[in-house]
Amino acid sequence: MNIALTAHDAKKELLVQFCIAYCGILSRHSICATGATGKIVSEATGLDIQRYLSGPQGGDQQIASRISCDEIDMLIFFCDPNKSDMRDLDILRLCDVHNIPYATNIATAEMLIHGLSRGDLDWRNIAKPL
């Protein structure tokens, strides 16, 4: 599966800790991330991560484009609830439009990662809507 990672500055360390905890599962999948997020997660975990631009410089749009082209299967986007803007809403809206599971907090991310580990989220076995 293709998994995209991103996080607001206040949530980057939480995402790093999440990725350390679930490195074994994540390592079996293709991971991409916005610039700074990808750098710190890769350095902390050793995961091979395709990095895009930083979020404000267009990385969010690059991930959104991949979602629109059905090239992303899951998004983990740890949001700071006190800081959101239209870029955040757009990427989440696209996940809803393209039926892509996403997590914006640790509880949902853990549910998705456990489902991924069990094979519950294998899109090859589930028909995606046209």
Side-chain angles (χ1 to χ4, degrees):
M1 292 189 80
N2 295 317
I3 302 170
L5 304 174
T6 189
H8 287 146
D9 289 343
K11 298 291 183 171
K12 286 191 190 322
E13 184 57 31
L14 180 62
L15 182 61
V16 167
Q17 294 304 315
F18 173 83
C19 290
I20 289 169
Y22 295 105
C23 188
I25 297 168
L26 292 169
S27 68
R28 296 190 297 263
H29 301 278
S30 210
I31 309 293
C32 67
T34 50
T37 300
K39 182 178 190 285
I40 63 172
V41 169
S42 179
E43 288 172 353
T45 63
L47 288 169
D48 183 27
I49 298 176
Q50 179 181 0
R51 289 176 45 207
Y52 294 110
L53 297 171
S54 70
Q57 292 179 336
D60 292 335
Q61 287 83 4
Q62 288 175 301
I63 289 176
S65 174
R66 290 199 61 203
I67 290 168
S68 295
C69 294
D70 288 325
E71 296 172 354
I72 297 293
D73 301 306
M74 179 189 300
L75 172 70
I76 298 175
F77 182 3
F78 285 176
C79 297
D80 179 351
N82 298 315
K83 179 189 181 216
S84 63
D85 59 34
M86 294 308 290
R87 287 190 328 265
D88 304 339
L89 296 176
D90 190 49
I91 198 168
L92 299 177
R93 181 188 64 78
L94 286 170
C95 284
D96 286 337
V97 167
H98 293 275
N99 204 30
I100 304 301
Y102 65 90
T104 58
N105 60 62
I106 189 86
T108 309
E110 286 186 331
M111 291 180 75
L112 287 179
I113 206 78
H114 287 293
L116 180 64
S117 176
R118 289 189 309 264
D120 297 345
L121 300 176
D122 188 352
W123 285 113
R124 293 171 292 245
N125 296 324
I126 300 172
K128 285 180 124 178
L130 299 177

